[in-house]
Amino acid sequence: MKLLVINGPNLNFLGIREKGIYGTEDYEYLVTMLENKAKAEGHEIEIFQSNCEGAIIDKIQEAYHTKADGIIINPGAFTHYSYAVRDALASVEIPKIEVHISNVHKREEFRHTSVTAPACTGQIVGLGLKGYALAMDYLTGKA
Ligand code: DQA
């Protein structure tokens, strides 16, 4: 399968930002973990990160042209207010799982709303970096 992982703003700062919330593993650890898992299971994977809303929208649209089989997206703070990212997700008929490292429901009120989740197949929240691996298992039919 052809998988695309999209990480939004500040996720490149994993291991640096708010370690009590996001853990001590850095972004490179996440990338390596997902690449190794995909390789071991015989899947193609592209892992993309951007702090820019437009670049994330472009990447979602690109998944239509490149015929990705599944998208794993952590839109970061765009989750809570980006109708543009939401519309881009709704535009592509590809299974999509939204992942949040932290349990957004235990945090500030503004994090309780996801405008992007209704455009996704499902959502995994609060399971740390393992949430990405679980999303991959769902998309590949392993789980
Ligand atoms: C996050 C939660 C968001 O509220 C926050 O803005 C992030 C990370 C998470 O993975 O827990 O940047 O998406």
Side-chain angles (χ1 to χ4, degrees):
M1 287 185 84
K2 196 169 173 172
L3 302 170
L4 172 64
V5 182
I6 300 175
N7 279 302
N10 299 305
L11 287 156
N12 56 317
F13 253 42
L14 284 178
I16 300 169
R17 71 184 294 209
E18 302 178 275
K19 292 180 197 160
I21 296 173
Y22 300 111
T24 52
E25 305 292 5
D26 63 9
Y27 187 69
E28 207 41 52
Y29 173 92
L30 174 64
V31 169
T32 305
M33 185 260 281
L34 293 174
E35 283 176 350
N36 288 345
K37 180 172 167 61
K39 198 173 171 196
E41 295 172 9
H43 303 294
E44 204 181 305
I45 197 164
E46 180 184 352
I47 303 168
F48 174 81
Q49 190 278 328
S50 179
N51 294 323
C52 304
E53 191 176 19
I56 291 168
I57 292 163
D58 287 345
K59 203 69 194 174
I60 294 167
Q61 292 184 356
E62 191 185 300
Y64 168 79
H65 295 294
T66 58
K67 296 186 171 41
D69 298 304
I71 298 175
I72 298 167
I73 183 161
N74 182 345
F78 289 142
T79 304
H80 313 301
Y81 66 92
S82 175
Y83 298 122
V85 172
R86 183 235 172 266
D87 283 353
L89 287 166
S91 302
V92 294
E93 285 181 18
I94 301 168
K96 289 149 272 181
I97 306 297
E98 178 170 307
V99 171
H100 295 288
I101 298 165
S102 65
N103 184 347
V104 284
H105 301 293
K106 273 190 184 170
R107 301 179 62 196
E108 302 95 321
E109 191 81 30
F110 76 90
R111 295 185 205 276
H112 300 180
T113 299
S114 170
V115 301
T116 47
C120 292
T121 314
Q123 191 191 40
I124 296 172
V125 164
L127 303 182
L129 301 185
K130 283 185 184 156
Y132 291 86
L134 293 167
M136 197 192 286
D137 284 347
Y138 173 79
L139 290 170
T140 60
K142 202 179 167 215

